[in-house]
Amino acid sequence: MLWLRLLIAALCVLAYLRSPIDLIPEPIPGLGVLDDVLVLVGFLWWARAQLRHARPRPAPPKPTATNEVWNPYAVLGIPANASAKEITHAYREQMKRYHPDRVADLGEELQQLAHQKTVEIQRAYAELSRA
């Protein structure tokens, strides 16, 4: 849905840029691209904001009790009888969610939590892929 909105908006901007009609009449000849630049910059700003807000935010990891046994299946969110393909898929989905680059613009505390979760996900995948 987001990509469709961006595509439609981009087509509208391209149609405007190709049309001879200007929103801002230029009193000085040679400044005919002023409104085109403003429309293009406005579209790029809007598209960047749309993409930034559409990005899923990672949920903070749930605290685990220290007396619990570490379960790699629970870390990846898969059943104990999962196939190798399901393990790989779950690993990739979890890494997409908690990768440090995805939370680079969030606060320091959430970045540290995402780093811890990433390490935990990698450990779980390494353990399950060996088995």
Side-chain angles (χ1 to χ4, degrees):
M1 187 70 179
L2 170 68
W3 294 106
L4 182 62
R5 282 193 321 227
L6 289 174
L7 179 65
I8 291 171
L11 291 175
C12 290
V13 167
L14 288 175
Y16 174 77
L17 294 177
R18 297 288 299 155
S19 74
I21 302 170
D22 288 333
L23 289 176
I24 304 171
E26 286 83 14
I28 302 171
L31 293 179
V33 297
L34 181 63
D35 62 329
D36 296 340
V37 170
L38 290 175
V39 168
L40 187 60
V41 168
F43 167 73
L44 293 175
W45 175 79
W46 174 81
R48 181 177 177 265
Q50 293 295 312
L51 290 171
R52 174 174 247 166
H53 291 298
R55 206 171 52 193
R57 299 290 183 190
K62 297 176 183 174
T64 59
T66 55
N67 60 355
E68 286 184 21
V69 176
W70 188 76
N71 183 358
Y73 293 100
V75 171
L76 295 177
I78 55 176
N81 61 352
S83 67
K85 188 175 181 178
E86 291 172 317
I87 291 170
T88 303
H89 179 72
Y91 166 74
R92 289 181 179 161
E93 289 300 314
Q94 291 292 330
M95 285 303 292
K96 282 182 199 174
R97 183 178 295 154
Y98 293 105
H99 195 275
D101 291 344
R102 298 282 285 204
V103 296
D105 57 337
L106 299 177
E108 185 66 29
E109 184 180 0
L110 286 177
Q111 289 178 10
Q112 289 174 355
L113 287 172
H115 174 71
Q116 291 170 354
K117 186 70 175 176
T118 301
V119 170
E120 196 173 64
I121 292 166
Q122 289 172 341
R123 177 181 165 205
Y125 181 70
E127 189 172 313
L128 292 177
S129 62
R130 269 187 274 132

